[in-house]
Amino acid sequence: MLSLIGFATIITIVTLLIRGQVIPIVALTLIPILGALIAGFGMAEIGEFFKSGLGSVMNVVVMFIFAIIFFGILQDGGLFDPLINKMIQLTRGNIITICIGSVVIAAIAQLDGSGASTFLITIPALLPLYKRMRISPYLLVLLIGGSASIMNMIPWGGPLGRTASVINVDVTDLWRPLIPVQVVGMILMVGLATLLGIREKRRIAALPPLTAAQLEEDTSDAAPIEINKRLYLFNLLLSIAIIAILVTGIIPAGFAFMIGVAIALPVNFRSIKLQNECIKRHAPNALSMASIILAAGVFLGVLNGTGMLTAIAENLISIMPDFMGRYIHLIIGFFGLPFDLLLSTDAYYFALLPVVNQIAATYDIPATSTAYSMIVGNIVGTFVSPFSPALWLALGLANIEMGRYIRYAFFWMWGIGILLLIAAVMMGIITV
C-alpha cells in the first residue's frame, strides 16, 4: 500500500508538471502531504519529514540565491559580452558549433563531480549567447546536463561512491572499466549536439526576423545604469576566484557566492541606491526559484521519511516474473532513466541495487556487472529527474519550466542511456 501511494504521488506530481496545470511549488508541497496523510502519517510526523527534506536542499537554496545575484552583478558589468562576442566570432555564429562547444565545456566543468557547480559555471556564461542566437534554453540545459551526467561516472561522483559502498568494492577499481563507456558517451553527446543543433538551426531559420523593439529587448539584459567599464578586469578575476573556490571545495558554494556578492556589489555600484536597484533587479528570479527548491525539500523529505521510495523499489522487484531473473540487471538498466522519475538517487542505489544484485547473483551474474548495468542505464538521467536539486538550480538559472524540460529531454536522454548500455554489453563490461 505504501508503494502504491508513493507511486501515485510521484505520477501525479510529474503529470501536473508536464501538463503545466499548476506551478511547481503547489504540486511539490500539497501532493506529498496528501499522500502522507492517506498513508496514515500525522501532521507532526510530516513536519519532521519537512525538516529532514529542508536540510537536504538548504545549501542549494542559499547557493542559488547568492549565485543568481552574483552573476547578475557581473552581467550588469558586461563581463559576459566579450565572451559571447568571441564565441560568435570563433563559431561564426554557427549554431551546431555552439551546441558542440556547450557539451565540451560542460564535460570539463563536471570534473569536480558537482552538478550544481557545473550549472553555475556554464549556464550564466552561455545563456546570453543562446539568447542572442535565439537558441532554445531547453537545449542548453539538455546538452550541459547530458554531458555532465556522463562525466559524473568518476570515483568522486555520487553514483559510483554509492555503488561501491553497496557492493563493497574499491571505487577506483569500479571506475576504470567505465572509462571506455564515458568516451562512447561523450561521442554520443557530440552526435546529439550536432543533430539537435541542425534541428535548432532549421527552427530558427523559420522564425520571423526580430523587430526593432525585440532587438532592443534582446540587448537589454545589461544594467540600465552606467557602469564603469574599467572594472571589467576586476570582475573577471573575481569570477575566476569564485569558480576556483567551487572547484576546490575549500568552503561551501553558498558561502563563496555570498562573499562574491559582498565584494562585487559595492565595487560595481558605489552608492547605496544603485546597490539596492541591483538587488531588486535580480532578487525576484532568485527568490522565485528558491521557493520551488524549498518545496522540492518537502517532496524529498516526505517520500524518504515515509519510506515510500524504498517500498517502491522493493515492490517493483517483487512483482517481476521469475523468467526475467537472469536478465534482471539488463531490464533495470534499460529502464534506468524512467526510474529517475520515480526514485531518488539514494533510493535507486541503496534500496533497488541490493535487491537486484541479490536476485542476479542466483544466476551467477557478478555484482560488478549488475552495478555497471544499473549505473550506465541510469546515470544519463541524473539531470532529467525532479528528484535532483541541481536540476532545479539549472532550470532556475536558465529560467525554464521543469515539466516542459522533461518533455524536451526525456526521450533523447533515454536513447543515449540505452545506446550506452548496449555499448557496455558489446565491450564485455556487462555480462549477459
Side-chain angles (χ1 to χ4, degrees):
M1 180 59 69
L2 194 60
S3 64
L4 288 176
I5 295 172
F7 186 78
T9 299
I10 295 170
I11 292 298
T12 301
I13 292 173
V14 172
T15 301
L16 289 174
L17 291 177
I18 290 177
R19 298 182 65 178
Q21 292 180 315
V22 296
I23 62 174
I25 191 172
V26 174
L28 293 171
T29 301
L30 296 182
I31 305 301
I33 292 174
L34 180 61
L37 290 173
I38 294 174
F41 294 90
M43 287 304 297
E45 293 173 295
I46 296 173
E48 293 300 316
F49 301 153
F50 165 73
K51 291 179 182 178
S52 175
L54 197 64
S56 68
V57 299
M58 185 54 69
N59 288 337
V60 176
V61 171
V62 174
M63 175 176 59
F64 185 87
I65 292 173
F66 286 99
I68 287 290
I69 297 174
F70 176 73
F71 286 115
I73 295 171
L74 298 184
Q75 185 175 355
D76 287 351
L79 178 65
F80 302 120
D81 291 342
L83 172 64
I84 295 167
N85 294 333
K86 189 65 176 179
M87 288 190 68
I88 292 176
Q89 181 183 355
L90 290 174
T91 62
R92 297 180 181 179
N94 189 304
I95 294 172
I96 299 171
T97 307
I98 292 172
C99 292
I100 294 174
S102 302
V103 170
V104 175
I105 291 171
I108 296 172
Q110 184 62 25
L111 288 174
D112 70 339
S114 170
S117 296
T118 297
F119 291 130
L120 286 167
I121 292 169
T122 56
I123 292 179
L126 293 175
L127 184 60
L129 173 62
Y130 272 62
K131 285 183 176 179
R132 185 177 299 184
M133 299 299 298
R134 305 176 79 180
I135 307 173
S136 170
Y138 289 91
L139 178 56
L140 171 61
V141 177
L142 182 153
L143 295 176
I144 292 177
S147 179
S149 297
I150 291 170
M151 286 303 298
N152 205 34
M153 283 189 276
I154 47 179
W156 51 93
L160 260 67
R162 290 176 175 88
T163 302
S165 65
V166 170
I167 66 174
N168 195 26
V169 298
D170 181 79
V171 68
T172 305
D173 293 337
L174 187 67
W175 170 59
R176 289 193 189 101
L178 287 175
I179 296 175
V181 178
Q182 287 180 288
V183 173
V184 173
M186 291 310 303
I187 294 173
L188 289 174
M189 281 305 304
V190 169
L192 181 62
T194 303
L195 175 63
L196 295 183
I198 294 172
R199 187 183 72 165
E200 193 71 4
K201 186 176 180 179
R202 291 173 180 168
R203 183 191 68 83
I204 294 170
L207 294 176
L210 291 175
T211 63
Q214 288 173 323
L215 285 170
E216 182 179 352
E217 181 182 353
D218 188 51
T219 57
S220 65
D221 287 337
I225 53 180
E226 294 185 3
I227 300 298
N228 187 347
K229 298 300 183 181
R230 292 176 298 177
L231 292 176
Y232 178 83
L233 180 60
F234 173 84
N235 288 334
L236 177 63
L237 294 175
L238 178 61
S239 64
I240 292 173
I242 295 299
I243 290 172
I245 290 173
L246 291 177
V247 173
T248 57
I250 299 174
I251 59 177
F255 187 31
F257 282 114
M258 187 182 294
I259 295 172
V261 169
I263 295 174
L265 190 60
V267 172
N268 285 271
F269 303 93
R270 300 303 175 88
S271 70
I272 297 296
K273 179 182 177 182
L274 294 180
Q275 292 174 21
N276 282 327
E277 287 178 357
C278 178
I279 295 294
K280 290 177 182 178
R281 189 160 51 249
H282 299 293
N285 286 337
L287 293 178
S288 175
M289 274 307 302
S291 65
I292 294 176
I293 295 174
L294 289 173
V298 179
F299 175 53
L300 295 170
V302 170
L303 265 69
N304 279 309
T306 58
M308 290 181 186
L309 291 180
T310 301
I312 290 173
E314 292 175 349
N315 282 281
L316 282 173
I317 296 300
S318 66
I319 63 175
M320 186 171 291
D322 291 339
F323 70 88
M324 293 184 178
R326 176 173 294 279
Y327 307 104
I328 188 171
H329 59 309
L330 295 174
I331 294 171
I332 299 298
F334 182 89
F335 292 103
L337 193 143
F339 276 131
D340 259 331
L341 300 183
L342 300 175
L343 302 171
S344 67
T345 302
D346 285 339
Y348 185 81
Y349 289 103
F350 290 140
L352 188 59
L353 174 57
V355 179
V356 174
N357 185 42
Q358 184 178 7
I359 296 173
T362 62
Y363 296 93
D364 297 324
I365 303 296
T368 52
S369 184
T370 300
Y372 288 142
S373 182
M374 292 185 63
I375 291 170
V376 172
N378 168 268
I379 202 165
V380 183
T382 301
F383 301 121
V384 181
S385 170
F387 284 100
S388 170
L391 177 59
W392 287 103
L393 174 64
L395 300 182
L397 291 170
N399 195 26
I400 59 179
E401 300 174 0
M402 172 65 82
R404 185 177 171 186
Y405 174 72
I406 292 176
R407 293 198 305 270
Y408 187 93
F410 180 83
F411 287 104
W412 292 113
M413 290 295 95
W414 192 10
I416 293 289
I418 293 171
L419 290 176
L420 277 181
L421 190 66
I422 294 172
V425 172
M426 293 178 65
M427 289 186 286
I429 298 171
I430 297 175
T431 304
V432 179

